[in-house]
Amino acid sequence: MNSVDGTPEGQDSAPEPERFLQAGPEGGRVTVMLAAFEGWNDAGEAASDALHYLNKLWDGKKVATVDAEDYYDFQFTRPTVRRTSTGARKVKWPSTRIYRASVPDSNVDVVFVLGSEPSYRWRAYTTELLVHAEALGVDAVVLIGALLADVPHSRPIPVSTTTEDSGLRERMNLESSQYEGPVGIVGVLAEFALLAGLPTVSLWAAVPHYVAQPPSPKAQLAILHKVEDLLQVPLDTHSLAEESEAWERGVDELATEDPEIAAYVRQLEEAKDTADLPEATGESIAREFERYLKRRGKERP
């Protein structure tokens, strides 16, 4: 089964991440755009939460904002009222914000696109984002989404990686999507970015549909591990890993209180375990060990 944005559900391909970001001129820095949108493309808010995590981790600085008046229906995506640190009431309008950060101890700069899926003028909206990408020197694009799927919460969250770029498919051993049907802004931006000549991949996390309410820290963590592999930069996800474990324990407890849900989860687990038998290969073990070594090397003085 495929996702609504064209991603095969359950596919967890193993790209060779060192081949995604090519070195800049004379081995200089490279800039990658990471984009996620709240709304239809963001089950459990896993995609947007993952990028908010990275933006905070790498101390991203806001460099641009897309004008909300041009693209949002405020009756559908309503503004919210918040209290400031001084106690004053402030209306927060839906918008799209663009941040820039440099990844420590690497040659990678990141441009974050964070916002809600727009209501109007999607072609103009994506064009505006790509104008910002050109101005910020973006070399490649990673689009991130999350979808509801028939997957068990007690097993690793699948994160699929697809691309319509024939060069990336060959280099990274990826697949294109066979999906046909309605798409969200992630799918539209993927097409426009490729037309603009930017190497583009899409990551989709499969969130268990029976625990769809946010937050979804386990799916968020799975996305971050995939980003870690793609960018070849170690991430500090210790606190999020603890949240993920607590979330899983909480869902376990809820499932045991409902015999029907418990039986359904066991059915999903059996199906997942059967499908994943070929995945317990030396390649997957080596990939995890490589990630461990990189983290350990970063922690050394």
Side-chain angles (χ1 to χ4, degrees):
M1 183 181 298
N2 293 331
S3 79
V4 293
D5 250 41
T7 300
E9 288 185 14
Q11 176 195 337
D12 193 6
S13 55
E16 298 180 19
E18 67 276 12
R19 296 185 182 180
F20 174 59
L21 291 182
Q22 304 297 311
E26 299 180 359
R29 302 189 68 81
V30 293
T31 301
V32 58
M33 173 181 279
L34 298 177
F37 302 88
E38 299 170 12
W40 200 57
N41 309 274
D42 195 20
E45 298 182 359
S48 57
D49 281 349
L51 289 202
H52 281 296
Y53 184 96
L54 289 177
N55 192 38
K56 182 177 181 181
L57 178 68
W58 292 332
D59 194 27
K61 305 299 183 185
K62 187 164 67 173
V63 294
T65 302
V66 176
D67 189 355
E69 295 287 343
D70 292 337
Y71 302 111
Y72 291 99
D73 178 350
F74 297 133
Q75 288 186 322
F76 179 75
T77 308
R78 288 186 176 273
T80 55
V81 174
R82 303 281 179 86
R83 290 286 184 180
T84 67
S85 58
T86 62
R89 287 166 56 89
K90 181 178 179 61
V91 174
K92 181 180 180 182
W93 295 90
S95 66
T96 300
R97 300 164 302 283
I98 300 174
Y99 300 83
R100 182 162 192 155
S102 293
V103 181
D105 304 317
S106 80
N107 70 329
V108 179
D109 292 328
V110 175
V111 171
F112 293 104
V113 177
L114 292 164
S116 300
E117 183 177 66
S119 307
Y120 308 121
R121 304 176 63 226
W122 282 19
R123 285 175 290 189
Y125 176 83
T126 51
T127 299
E128 184 169 342
L129 289 181
L130 292 173
V131 168
H132 285 296
E134 182 178 11
L136 293 168
V138 168
D139 300 298
V141 176
V142 178
L143 301 170
I144 300 174
L147 62 138
L148 300 179
D150 294 328
V151 296
H153 72 279
S154 52
R155 297 294 185 266
I157 296 293
V159 180
S160 64
T161 308
T162 60
T163 182
E164 299 304 310
D165 185 307
S166 58
L168 286 180
R169 285 203 303 269
E170 182 176 350
R171 289 208 318 268
M172 299 172 65
N173 191 29
L174 297 178
E175 295 182 7
S176 60
S177 171
Q178 303 303 311
Y179 172 79
E180 294 179 291
V183 296
I185 194 63
V186 171
V188 174
L189 182 54
E191 179 174 299
F192 274 59
L194 283 170
L195 291 174
L198 291 170
T200 303
V201 299
S202 297
L203 307 181
W204 282 87
V207 176
H209 70 88
Y210 55 92
V211 279
Q213 67 276 14
S216 188
K218 190 169 183 177
Q220 182 184 345
L221 184 63
I223 290 170
L224 291 176
H225 283 327
K226 189 67 71 170
V227 171
E228 185 178 37
D229 288 343
L230 275 176
L231 303 189
Q232 286 291 274
V233 294
L235 300 178
D236 179 5
T237 55
H238 179 73
S239 61
L240 187 59
E242 292 180 344
E243 291 180 27
S244 174
E245 292 171 0
W247 176 86
E248 186 171 335
R249 289 194 300 269
V251 179
D252 285 340
E253 293 174 2
L254 291 174
T256 58
E257 296 174 359
D258 188 325
E260 291 186 5
I261 291 294
Y264 178 63
V265 171
R266 286 194 297 271
Q267 178 184 344
L268 291 177
E269 289 172 341
E270 292 172 1
K272 178 67 174 172
D273 293 343
T274 300
D276 281 353
L277 285 175
E279 294 295 325
T281 62
E283 181 182 357
S284 62
I285 295 171
R287 193 164 59 246
E288 290 300 317
F289 186 61
E290 182 182 7
R291 180 186 290 131
Y292 164 77
L293 291 178
K294 288 179 179 178
R295 288 176 181 154
R296 186 176 180 183
K298 184 175 178 62
E299 292 172 357
R300 290 178 179 173

PDB file of all heavy atoms in Angstrom, residues 131-148:
ATOM      1  N   VAL A 131      12.512  30.113  -4.495  1.00  0.00           N
ATOM      2  CA  VAL A 131      13.253  31.368  -4.634  1.00  0.00           C
ATOM      3  C   VAL A 131      14.121  31.595  -3.394  1.00  0.00           C
ATOM      4  O   VAL A 131      15.294  31.972  -3.493  1.00  0.00           O
ATOM      5  CB  VAL A 131      12.288  32.552  -4.849  1.00  0.00           C
ATOM      6  CG1 VAL A 131      13.030  33.879  -4.701  1.00  0.00           C
ATOM      7  CG2 VAL A 131      11.636  32.455  -6.225  1.00  0.00           C
ATOM      8  N   HIS A 132      13.552  31.333  -2.217  1.00  0.00           N
ATOM      9  CA  HIS A 132      14.348  31.428  -0.988  1.00  0.00           C
ATOM     10  C   HIS A 132      15.481  30.401  -1.007  1.00  0.00           C
ATOM     11  O   HIS A 132      16.605  30.701  -0.579  1.00  0.00           O
ATOM     12  CB  HIS A 132      13.463  31.194   0.232  1.00  0.00           C
ATOM     13  CG  HIS A 132      12.571  32.343   0.581  1.00  0.00           C
ATOM     14  ND1 HIS A 132      13.059  33.582   0.977  1.00  0.00           N
ATOM     15  CD2 HIS A 132      11.220  32.444   0.606  1.00  0.00           C
ATOM     16  CE1 HIS A 132      12.042  34.394   1.235  1.00  0.00           C
ATOM     17  NE2 HIS A 132      10.921  33.736   1.000  1.00  0.00           N
ATOM     18  N   ALA A 133      15.196  29.200  -1.491  1.00  0.00           N
ATOM     19  CA  ALA A 133      16.223  28.158  -1.544  1.00  0.00           C
ATOM     20  C   ALA A 133      17.402  28.598  -2.412  1.00  0.00           C
ATOM     21  O   ALA A 133      18.565  28.405  -2.046  1.00  0.00           O
ATOM     22  CB  ALA A 133      15.625  26.857  -2.081  1.00  0.00           C
ATOM     23  N   GLU A 134      17.088  29.205  -3.554  1.00  0.00           N
ATOM     24  CA  GLU A 134      18.160  29.681  -4.437  1.00  0.00           C
ATOM     25  C   GLU A 134      18.967  30.785  -3.774  1.00  0.00           C
ATOM     26  O   GLU A 134      20.208  30.793  -3.825  1.00  0.00           O
ATOM     27  CB  GLU A 134      17.572  30.176  -5.750  1.00  0.00           C
ATOM     28  CG  GLU A 134      18.625  30.640  -6.750  1.00  0.00           C
ATOM     29  CD  GLU A 134      18.025  31.072  -8.067  1.00  0.00           C
ATOM     30  OE1 GLU A 134      16.783  31.224  -8.146  1.00  0.00           O
ATOM     31  OE2 GLU A 134      18.787  31.269  -9.031  1.00  0.00           O
ATOM     32  N   ALA A 135      18.271  31.709  -3.107  1.00  0.00           N
ATOM     33  CA  ALA A 135      18.969  32.815  -2.442  1.00  0.00           C
ATOM     34  C   ALA A 135      19.863  32.321  -1.315  1.00  0.00           C
ATOM     35  O   ALA A 135      20.897  32.935  -1.022  1.00  0.00           O
ATOM     36  CB  ALA A 135      17.948  33.810  -1.904  1.00  0.00           C
ATOM     37  N   LEU A 136      19.476  31.218  -0.678  1.00  0.00           N
ATOM     38  CA  LEU A 136      20.246  30.680   0.446  1.00  0.00           C
ATOM     39  C   LEU A 136      21.258  29.629   0.005  1.00  0.00           C
ATOM     40  O   LEU A 136      21.909  29.003   0.840  1.00  0.00           O
ATOM     41  CB  LEU A 136      19.297  30.084   1.478  1.00  0.00           C
ATOM     42  CG  LEU A 136      18.395  31.106   2.201  1.00  0.00           C
ATOM     43  CD1 LEU A 136      17.288  30.398   2.972  1.00  0.00           C
ATOM     44  CD2 LEU A 136      19.223  31.986   3.133  1.00  0.00           C
ATOM     45  N   GLY A 137      21.380  29.408  -1.280  1.00  0.00           N
ATOM     46  CA  GLY A 137      22.394  28.498  -1.799  1.00  0.00           C
ATOM     47  C   GLY A 137      22.127  27.032  -1.529  1.00  0.00           C
ATOM     48  O   GLY A 137      23.071  26.248  -1.341  1.00  0.00           O
ATOM     49  N   VAL A 138      20.860  26.631  -1.533  1.00  0.00           N
ATOM     50  CA  VAL A 138      20.512  25.238  -1.250  1.00  0.00           C
ATOM     51  C   VAL A 138      21.013  24.327  -2.364  1.00  0.00           C
ATOM     52  O   VAL A 138      20.810  24.609  -3.546  1.00  0.00           O
ATOM     53  CB  VAL A 138      18.988  25.096  -1.062  1.00  0.00           C
ATOM     54  CG1 VAL A 138      18.570  23.628  -1.064  1.00  0.00           C
ATOM     55  CG2 VAL A 138      18.547  25.783   0.224  1.00  0.00           C
ATOM     56  N   ASP A 139      21.663  23.219  -1.972  1.00  0.00           N
ATOM     57  CA  ASP A 139      22.206  22.262  -2.927  1.00  0.00           C
ATOM     58  C   ASP A 139      21.335  21.016  -3.076  1.00  0.00           C
ATOM     59  O   ASP A 139      21.433  20.312  -4.090  1.00  0.00           O
ATOM     60  CB  ASP A 139      23.604  21.814  -2.486  1.00  0.00           C
ATOM     61  CG  ASP A 139      24.579  22.978  -2.385  1.00  0.00           C
ATOM     62  OD1 ASP A 139      24.830  23.622  -3.421  1.00  0.00           O
ATOM     63  OD2 ASP A 139      25.080  23.246  -1.274  1.00  0.00           O
ATOM     64  N   ALA A 140      20.512  20.697  -2.064  1.00  0.00           N
ATOM     65  CA  ALA A 140      19.694  19.494  -2.091  1.00  0.00           C
ATOM     66  C   ALA A 140      18.515  19.686  -1.149  1.00  0.00           C
ATOM     67  O   ALA A 140      18.543  20.552  -0.273  1.00  0.00           O
ATOM     68  CB  ALA A 140      20.507  18.267  -1.687  1.00  0.00           C
ATOM     69  N   VAL A 141      17.478  18.868  -1.330  1.00  0.00           N
ATOM     70  CA  VAL A 141      16.246  19.020  -0.556  1.00  0.00           C
ATOM     71  C   VAL A 141      15.841  17.673   0.034  1.00  0.00           C
ATOM     72  O   VAL A 141      15.863  16.647  -0.658  1.00  0.00           O
ATOM     73  CB  VAL A 141      15.101  19.557  -1.446  1.00  0.00           C
ATOM     74  CG1 VAL A 141      13.792  19.623  -0.650  1.00  0.00           C
ATOM     75  CG2 VAL A 141      15.455  20.927  -2.006  1.00  0.00           C
ATOM     76  N   VAL A 142      15.462  17.706   1.318  1.00  0.00           N
ATOM     77  CA  VAL A 142      14.889  16.539   1.985  1.00  0.00           C
ATOM     78  C   VAL A 142      13.509  16.944   2.493  1.00  0.00           C
ATOM     79  O   VAL A 142      13.391  17.854   3.320  1.00  0.00           O
ATOM     80  CB  VAL A 142      15.757  16.054   3.159  1.00  0.00           C
ATOM     81  CG1 VAL A 142      15.088  14.856   3.843  1.00  0.00           C
ATOM     82  CG2 VAL A 142      17.153  15.683   2.686  1.00  0.00           C
ATOM     83  N   LEU A 143      12.479  16.272   1.987  1.00  0.00           N
ATOM     84  CA  LEU A 143      11.112  16.556   2.389  1.00  0.00           C
ATOM     85  C   LEU A 143      10.638  15.465   3.346  1.00  0.00           C
ATOM     86  O   LEU A 143      10.857  14.275   3.093  1.00  0.00           O
ATOM     87  CB  LEU A 143      10.204  16.603   1.162  1.00  0.00           C
ATOM     88  CG  LEU A 143      10.610  17.666   0.128  1.00  0.00           C
ATOM     89  CD1 LEU A 143       9.828  17.492  -1.150  1.00  0.00           C
ATOM     90  CD2 LEU A 143      10.403  19.052   0.697  1.00  0.00           C
ATOM     91  N   ILE A 144       9.990  15.874   4.430  1.00  0.00           N
ATOM     92  CA  ILE A 144       9.666  14.933   5.495  1.00  0.00           C
ATOM     93  C   ILE A 144       8.167  14.949   5.774  1.00  0.00           C
ATOM     94  O   ILE A 144       7.563  16.012   5.933  1.00  0.00           O
ATOM     95  CB  ILE A 144      10.447  15.269   6.770  1.00  0.00           C
ATOM     96  CG1 ILE A 144      11.954  15.197   6.477  1.00  0.00           C
ATOM     97  CG2 ILE A 144      10.091  14.316   7.912  1.00  0.00           C
ATOM     98  CD1 ILE A 144      12.828  15.656   7.614  1.00  0.00           C
ATOM     99  N   GLY A 145       7.577  13.762   5.822  1.00  0.00           N
ATOM    100  CA  GLY A 145       6.171  13.632   6.137  1.00  0.00           C
ATOM    101  C   GLY A 145       5.929  12.449   7.049  1.00  0.00           C
ATOM    102  O   GLY A 145       6.830  11.648   7.322  1.00  0.00           O
ATOM    103  N   ALA A 146       4.700  12.338   7.534  1.00  0.00           N
ATOM    104  CA  ALA A 146       4.300  11.202   8.364  1.00  0.00           C
ATOM    105  C   ALA A 146       2.869  10.835   8.012  1.00  0.00           C
ATOM    106  O   ALA A 146       2.038  11.721   7.768  1.00  0.00           O
ATOM    107  CB  ALA A 146       4.413  11.553   9.848  1.00  0.00           C
ATOM    108  N   LEU A 147       2.574   9.548   7.947  1.00  0.00           N
ATOM    109  CA  LEU A 147       1.255   9.072   7.557  1.00  0.00           C
ATOM    110  C   LEU A 147       0.771   8.025   8.546  1.00  0.00           C
ATOM    111  O   LEU A 147       1.568   7.385   9.231  1.00  0.00           O
ATOM    112  CB  LEU A 147       1.279   8.473   6.160  1.00  0.00           C
ATOM    113  CG  LEU A 147       2.185   7.240   5.987  1.00  0.00           C
ATOM    114  CD1 LEU A 147       1.485   6.187   5.143  1.00  0.00           C
ATOM    115  CD2 LEU A 147       3.518   7.635   5.347  1.00  0.00           C
ATOM    116  N   LEU A 148      -0.537   7.855   8.633  1.00  0.00           N
ATOM    117  CA  LEU A 148      -1.119   6.818   9.470  1.00  0.00           C
ATOM    118  C   LEU A 148      -1.063   5.487   8.726  1.00  0.00           C
ATOM    119  O   LEU A 148      -1.350   5.426   7.533  1.00  0.00           O
ATOM    120  CB  LEU A 148      -2.563   7.160   9.824  1.00  0.00           C
ATOM    121  CG  LEU A 148      -2.767   8.471  10.592  1.00  0.00           C
ATOM    122  CD1 LEU A 148      -4.249   8.697  10.849  1.00  0.00           C
ATOM    123  CD2 LEU A 148      -1.995   8.456  11.908  1.00  0.00           C
TER     124      LEU A 148
END
